């Protein structure tokens, strides 16, 4: 996962110069020479392999191999600090549901070769644009439907039990604790987009505390999704990037002008009262106040920000991806995007 040592310094200097000064093009850059080979460590298999064996030995083995992730798994994901590691392990191994879930995960994901290839390709683009970006450990695990893609000390977890597919027998029984608008996305095609997005948000572009207006949050989220446009496999649908159904995506496209008009008419763009604006940024089955019969898409502010950023980059072809991500002036991006969608 590192460049050849003999040419590393000169190559990185050349790469940074080319990336910074080059104009944005419609095609993705050639990343074939960037060496990234991501392997997902199977904590789920290592943990299950300890069933029926000496608990102290299993605990020691897992702690040595997984360190901070193991601690987080034991004390945050499936247990808490009122139990010892051995007590949590015993509780898991004695639970029939844990055994059944392991068998299901193993049948859906006997290996993660396809996911590893897609992650490797995605992170080649990350390294192309940001050569100094640190690639974390990727660790597959299951937490009993509690955590999907946790970010920790140098790791990104992949909760495999939350990507089993819409037909999984487990999700129907969870309808009261996990709503359908979330569980419908528990499919394998979401692994790479979600794991990559959380890495990008937490490791590369954290949201600033001072960005409190709806517009600033729109643009921040729009930049994140535009960045995902550049690094995800080209066949990744927009619906998967943002987590919409195809119908929700088409609804947004059909009513784009009306959505924009709604923000303007209600003076929402510069609103900073989070309880008032969170409905346009948060997950949900739909956006209250917009659309009929609850047909609107959720988190419309995120989708609108994405369209503004796309339009900004279209109108300003000399702006590089790095310059976009460093730009803090949301009003500048809006103004220079010339974003004015037509009413239906």
């Amino acid at each position: 996962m590192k460049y050849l040592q003999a040419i590393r310094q000169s190559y990185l200097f050349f790469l940074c110069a080319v990336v910074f000064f080059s104009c944005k093009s419609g095609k993705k850059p050639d990343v074939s020479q960037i060496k990234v080979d991501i392997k997902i460590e199977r904590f789920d298999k290592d943990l299950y392999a300890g069933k029926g064996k000496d608990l102290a030995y299993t605990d020691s083995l897992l702690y040595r191999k997984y360190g901070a992730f193991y601690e987080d798994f034991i004390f945050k994901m499936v247990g808490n600090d009122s139990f010892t590691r051995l007590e949590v392990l015993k509780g898991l191994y004695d639970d029939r549901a844990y055994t059944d879930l392991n068998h299901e995960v193993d049948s859906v994901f006997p290996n993660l070769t396809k996911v590893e290839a897609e992650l490797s390709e995605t992170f080649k683009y990350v390294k192309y644009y940001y050569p100094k970006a640190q690639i974390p450990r990727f660790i597959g695990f299951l937490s009993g439907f509690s955590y999907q893609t946790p970010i920790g000390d140098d790791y990104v977890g992949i909760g495999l039990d939350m990507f089993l597919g819409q037909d999984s027998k487990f999700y129907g029984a969870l309808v009261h604790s996990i709503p359908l608008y979330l569980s419908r996305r528990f499919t394998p095609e979401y692994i790479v987009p979600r794991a990559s997005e959380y890495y990008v948000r937490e490791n590369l572009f954290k949201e600033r505390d001072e960005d409190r207006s709806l517009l600033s949050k729109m643009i921040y989220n729009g930049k994140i999704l535009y960045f995902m446009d550049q690094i995800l496999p080209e066949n990744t649908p927009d619906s998967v990037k943002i987590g919409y159904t195809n119908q929700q995506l088409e609804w947004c496209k059909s009513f784009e002008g009306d959505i924009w008009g709604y923000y303007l008419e209600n003076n929402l763009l510069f609103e900073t009262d989070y309880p008032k604006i969170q409905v346009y940024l948060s997950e949900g089955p739909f956006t209250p106040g917009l659309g009929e019969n609850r047909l609107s898409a959720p988190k419309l502010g995120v989708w609108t920000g994405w369209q503004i950023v796309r339009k900004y980059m279209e109108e300003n072809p000399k702006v590089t991806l790095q310059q976009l991500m460093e730009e803090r002036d949301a009003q500048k991006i809006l103004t220079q995007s010339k974003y004015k969608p037509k009413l239906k």
Side-chain angles (χ1 to χ4, degrees):
M1 293 177 9
K2 294 182 179 179
Y3 299 109
L4 293 176
Q5 207 62 28
I7 61 172
R8 185 176 186 275
Q9 186 172 358
S10 60
Y11 177 67
L12 286 184
F13 175 81
F14 173 75
L15 180 60
C16 290
V18 169
V19 170
F20 185 81
F21 290 109
S22 65
C23 295
K24 174 180 169 285
S25 65
K27 296 182 179 179
K28 286 191 172 184
D30 180 9
V31 296
S32 60
Q33 299 304 310
I34 297 178
K35 305 302 180 185
V36 174
D37 185 19
I38 289 175
K39 299 298 181 185
I40 300 172
E41 300 174 61
R42 293 298 297 266
F43 174 81
D44 59 310
K45 289 180 178 289
D46 288 341
L47 175 63
Y48 192 71
K51 185 175 181 179
K53 298 179 180 178
D54 180 73
L55 285 178
Y57 173 77
T58 298
D59 172 64
S60 175
L61 188 98
L62 293 173
Y63 182 74
R64 287 199 308 271
K65 184 172 182 179
Y66 292 100
F69 173 82
Y70 181 53
E71 290 274 282
D72 289 345
F73 177 82
I74 291 291
F75 297 119
K76 296 179 182 178
M77 300 183 198
V78 298
N80 56 57
D81 57 11
S82 64
F83 298 94
T84 67
R85 297 202 304 246
L86 297 187
E87 287 173 334
V88 174
L89 284 180
K90 185 177 186 305
L92 283 174
Y93 291 144
D94 289 345
D95 188 346
R96 178 56 188 266
Y98 166 74
T99 299
D100 292 344
L101 185 55
N102 258 284
H103 291 162
E104 177 81 356
V105 168
D106 203 43
S107 67
V108 176
F109 299 111
N111 64 70
L112 293 168
T113 304
K114 182 175 183 293
V115 177
E116 289 170 339
E118 291 182 357
L119 274 175
S120 295
E121 190 70 8
T122 293
F123 275 82
K124 284 183 180 181
Y125 289 107
V126 172
K127 295 290 281 186
Y128 176 86
Y129 292 112
Y130 292 91
K132 294 183 179 180
Q134 298 297 310
I135 297 179
R137 296 174 71 182
F138 286 88
I139 301 174
F141 72 103
L142 57 90
S143 66
F145 314 105
S146 298
Y147 290 85
Q148 192 175 44
T149 50
I151 305 289
D153 183 13
D154 296 326
Y155 73 77
V156 174
I158 299 175
L160 296 172
D161 51 331
M162 300 187 78
F163 295 102
L164 293 174
Q166 292 182 347
D167 297 330
S168 172
K169 63 184 180 182
F170 289 95
Y171 297 150
L174 296 171
V175 67
H176 295 297
S177 56
I178 303 177
L180 180 61
Y181 68 83
L182 290 179
S183 64
R184 67 168 181 76
R185 290 180 251 163
F186 291 175
T187 62
E189 66 178 341
Y190 275 92
I191 293 178
V192 174
R194 290 292 76 79
S196 303
E197 180 185 347
Y198 290 134
Y199 166 84
V200 167
R201 287 181 181 274
E202 293 298 319
N203 292 65
L204 297 183
F205 313 113
K206 279 185 173 289
E207 187 173 14
R208 302 187 308 165
D209 291 338
E210 56 265 41
D211 290 337
R212 296 181 179 179
S213 70
L214 179 59
L215 177 62
S216 64
K217 292 182 178 296
M218 280 180 171
I219 299 302
Y220 168 75
N221 284 284
K223 290 196 297 183
I224 294 295
L225 283 169
Y226 186 84
F227 190 84
M228 302 306 293
D229 287 337
Q230 313 312 309
I231 67 171
L232 287 175
E234 291 191 81
N235 62 349
T236 307
D238 281 356
S239 57
V240 171
K241 291 173 189 171
I242 194 170
Y244 281 174
T245 63
N246 290 330
Q247 291 80 4
Q248 288 172 335
L249 187 63
E250 289 306 312
W251 185 92
C252 286
K253 293 177 180 178
S254 297
F255 294 98
E256 186 173 2
D258 299 271
I259 297 167
W260 184 243
Y262 182 87
Y263 299 138
L264 299 180
E265 290 169 10
N266 291 277
N267 299 313
L268 289 170
L269 292 184
F270 302 102
E271 179 61 67
T272 58
D273 185 356
Y274 191 72
K276 289 184 179 179
I277 63 176
Q278 61 86 24
V279 69
Y280 309 107
L281 304 165
S282 303
E283 296 286 2
F286 59 92
T287 298
L290 282 156
E292 297 179 355
N293 300 320
R294 300 185 173 186
L295 294 178
S296 63
K299 55 183 181 183
L300 288 176
V302 175
W303 184 82
T304 302
W306 193 12
Q307 309 319 304
I308 293 171
V309 172
R310 282 177 165 177
K311 188 69 164 52
Y312 171 76
M313 294 301 280
E314 179 185 320
E315 292 289 333
N316 300 273
K318 291 186 178 181
V319 173
T320 66
L321 183 61
Q322 294 91 334
Q323 289 170 334
L324 167 69
M325 302 311 293
E326 291 170 6
E327 180 58 66
R328 304 300 189 190
D329 191 338
Q331 180 63 61
K332 175 185 174 181
I333 290 177
L334 173 60
T335 301
Q336 294 188 5
S337 73
K338 303 178 183 177
Y339 181 74
K340 293 181 181 179
K342 296 180 180 179
L343 293 171
K344 185 174 179 180

